[in-house]
Amino acid sequence: MIKHISPTELAHYERLYRARLINSLSGYKSANLIGTTDKNGNHNLTIVSSVFHLGADPALVGMIIRPQTPKHHSLDNLETTGWYTINQVNSDIIERAHQTSASYPKDESEFLAVGLTPEFSAPCPAPLVKESRLKFSVQLQSAQELAINGTHLIIGLIHDIFVDSAAVQEDGYIDIEALDSVAVTGLDSYHLGQRITRLSYAKPNLPLMRLNTDGTPSA
Amino acid sequence: MIKHISPTELAHYERLYRARLINSLSGYKSANLIGTTDKNGNHNLTIVSSVFHLGADPALVGMIIRPQTPKHHSLDNLETTGWYTINQVNSDIIERAHQTSASYPKDESEFLAVGLTPEFSAPCPAPLVKESRLKFSVQLQSAQELAINGTHLIIGLIHDIFVDSAAVQEDGYIDIEALDSVAVTGLDSYHLGQRITRLSYAKPNLPLMRLNTDGTPSA
């Protein structure tokens, strides 16, 4: 049975109920840890589900940050240093990753608090997460407040990439299922992926082909 | 073994290889069909993997559109009418959804071409997708060209929501796994979700609890 939620009903929902519902509407979301460092060398790590692809050439990545939440020292930090890191969350570290969303004081490292390991790749001063199997350093290009609700759109240029080499396919596709990368739904639900198929490039009046993980046609 | 891809290496990759690789970096992406209509009543439907949550109150949703690709009549249409629809892709319709990425002429309806069914909910003139199990009409709030690469950031207000009622949990969370909603990785890979767990709200020095799908603590 189809449930219809009108704008009036939506407006009357309790705050957290609405947050869980609206956060479910956009579908599966990426789970990434954002690493930053402040001008005194304190590290910050926070999970976000708002990282999105923006372009391949130049290689750009976007994310949305809510600066009003106390945990987002990351915004200050990345604006100060001009750098941050993005680290895919895998199923071995979901609890530690989720725990970074707690509001730790600015001088307390979430790495220490939750039990993850910082590692570095010059020239980026922000820490990568050793336990992540796909991660990259990012050079800030722009940080813009969105007038509509005060969130910030952060755009960065992808710099150095580190990935478990077994996952990189012949055609450039990275098999993130093989890395046990996870997706988020709603505010707090974590999921593994289960591949259905890859599909060939679509053209009008041409049947699609199912492809194997490595990009070759399926039998 | 960890593969390190430096900015220099990345710059020398072949165009499509780089596109597949960079599109894999952000992690699991939502799969949604965007429905629009032009001023003559022609319908357009196109799959995007760039829809993201922007805020719950007001209920806002963002997406990135590349207007340089011919298929994006949707940008013209949603700017003209001020409305569009977002429809989650489920595993029953991945081929038809993927096929909407082909470059059909502006006056050819992708609904007809791929075999999906338009349906309507006033006051939104844009078509919803009958075969989708979670969909909503959206009122355009802003469309902004991002100077950095010419993509467009589209922000909309969520209007009427239609969802299979069995998937809506007591606490507002929507179990999109139960809807067989799919995620995308890279340019062309489709995945079902496989829930690991929901996790309780994180606070410093408080152990996390695993939660059932309905939000109650796991035994």
Side-chain angles (χ1 to χ4, degrees):
Chain A
M1 214 182 64
I2 297 293
K3 182 182 172 69
H4 172 203
I5 302 168
S6 72
T8 318
E9 257 176 297
L10 190 60
H12 286 95
Y13 282 158
E14 181 268 328
R15 193 181 63 88
L16 254 172
Y17 184 98
R18 182 174 49 232
R20 292 194 196 92
L21 186 108
I22 298 297
N23 268 279
S24 304
L25 294 189
S26 49
Y28 285 101
K29 300 184 273 197
S30 57
N32 287 288
L33 286 161
I34 306 302
T36 58
T37 195
D38 72 11
K39 60 181 194 302
N40 301 317
N42 295 312
H43 302 322
N44 184 281
L45 190 68
T46 193
I47 190 168
V48 301
S49 60
S50 63
V51 167
F52 56 89
H53 173 77
L54 198 55
D57 187 19
L60 296 170
V61 63
M63 67 176 169
I64 300 292
I65 279 188
R66 287 165 183 68
Q68 60 273 33
T69 57
K71 67 189 177 216
H72 274 308
H73 309 303
S74 10
L75 181 61
D76 275 353
N77 291 354
L78 64 85
E79 288 190 310
T80 303
T81 65
W83 289 91
Y84 53 108
T85 70
I86 299 182
N87 309 264
Q88 273 186 20
V89 176
N90 58 60
S91 54
D92 288 346
I93 59 170
I94 54 167
E95 268 96 352
R96 286 175 275 175
H98 188 77
Q99 184 63 30
T100 64
S101 64
S103 293
Y104 291 100
K106 189 167 165 50
D107 59 354
E108 186 170 355
S109 165
E110 286 84 1
F111 281 98
L112 267 173
V114 309
L116 290 168
T117 316
E119 61 179 15
F120 295 88
S121 162
C124 176
L128 293 150
V129 176
K130 189 174 165 46
E131 289 82 357
S132 170
R133 297 170 193 140
L134 193 174
K135 51 205 165 193
F136 44 103
S137 58
V138 186
Q139 205 169 8
L140 179 66
Q141 302 299 298
S142 73
Q144 174 197 343
E145 183 172 344
L146 299 177
I148 198 158
N149 69 351
T151 56
H152 287 235
L153 168 65
I154 313 296
I155 297 176
L157 184 69
I158 292 167
H159 208 262
D160 285 278
I161 304 168
F162 301 89
V163 54
D164 192 328
S165 57
V168 184
Q169 305 297 303
E170 283 282 317
D171 68 352
Y173 172 71
I174 304 178
D175 180 8
I176 69 169
E177 252 191 51
L179 303 174
D180 290 330
S181 293
V182 299
V184 178
T185 63
L187 290 170
D188 54 21
S189 185
Y190 293 87
H191 309 252
L192 285 165
Q194 197 182 341
R195 190 184 322 275
I196 305 170
T197 189
R198 290 181 66 183
L199 290 173
S200 60
Y201 188 82
K203 292 182 178 173
N205 308 314
L206 196 75
L208 290 172
M209 264 190 319
R210 290 198 162 213
L211 306 177
N212 298 316
T213 304
D214 66 1
T216 56
S218 296
Chain B
M1 214 181 66
I2 297 293
K3 180 182 173 69
H4 173 201
I5 303 168
S6 71
T8 318
E9 258 175 296
L10 189 59
H12 287 95
Y13 282 157
E14 181 269 328
R15 193 181 62 88
L16 253 172
Y17 184 97
R18 182 174 50 231
R20 291 193 197 92
L21 187 107
I22 298 297
N23 268 277
S24 304
L25 294 188
S26 49
Y28 285 100
K29 299 184 273 195
S30 57
N32 287 289
L33 286 161
I34 307 302
T36 58
T37 196
D38 72 10
K39 62 179 190 306
N40 300 317
N42 294 311
H43 302 321
N44 184 281
L45 190 68
T46 193
I47 189 167
V48 302
S49 60
S50 63
V51 167
F52 55 89
H53 173 78
L54 197 56
D57 187 19
L60 296 170
V61 63
M63 68 175 170
I64 300 292
I65 279 187
R66 288 164 182 69
Q68 61 272 36
T69 56
K71 68 188 176 218
H72 272 310
H73 309 302
S74 10
L75 182 61
D76 276 353
N77 291 355
L78 63 84
E79 288 190 310
T80 304
T81 65
W83 289 91
Y84 53 108
T85 69
I86 299 183
N87 308 265
Q88 274 187 18
V89 176
N90 58 61
S91 55
D92 289 346
I93 59 169
I94 55 168
E95 268 96 353
R96 285 175 275 175
H98 188 78
Q99 183 63 30
T100 64
S101 65
S103 293
Y104 291 101
K106 190 168 165 46
D107 58 355
E108 186 171 354
S109 165
E110 287 84 1
F111 282 97
L112 267 174
V114 310
L116 290 168
T117 317
E119 61 179 16
F120 295 88
S121 162
C124 176
L128 293 149
V129 177
K130 188 174 167 45
E131 289 81 358
S132 169
R133 297 170 194 140
L134 194 175
K135 52 205 163 193
F136 43 103
S137 58
V138 186
Q139 204 169 8
L140 179 67
Q141 302 298 299
S142 73
Q144 175 197 341
E145 182 171 346
L146 300 176
I148 198 158
N149 69 351
T151 56
H152 286 236
L153 168 65
I154 312 295
I155 297 176
L157 183 69
I158 292 166
H159 208 262
D160 286 276
I161 304 168
F162 301 89
V163 53
D164 192 327
S165 57
V168 184
Q169 304 297 302
E170 283 282 318
D171 68 352
Y173 171 71
I174 304 178
D175 180 8
I176 69 169
E177 252 192 53
L179 303 176
D180 289 331
S181 293
V182 298
V184 177
T185 63
L187 290 170
D188 55 20
S189 185
Y190 293 86
H191 309 252
L192 284 165
Q194 197 181 341
R195 189 185 322 276
I196 305 170
T197 188
R198 290 181 65 183
L199 290 173
S200 59
Y201 188 83
K203 293 182 178 174
N205 308 314
L206 196 75
L208 289 172
M209 266 191 316
R210 291 199 163 211
L211 306 177
N212 298 315
T213 305
D214 65 1
T216 56
S218 297

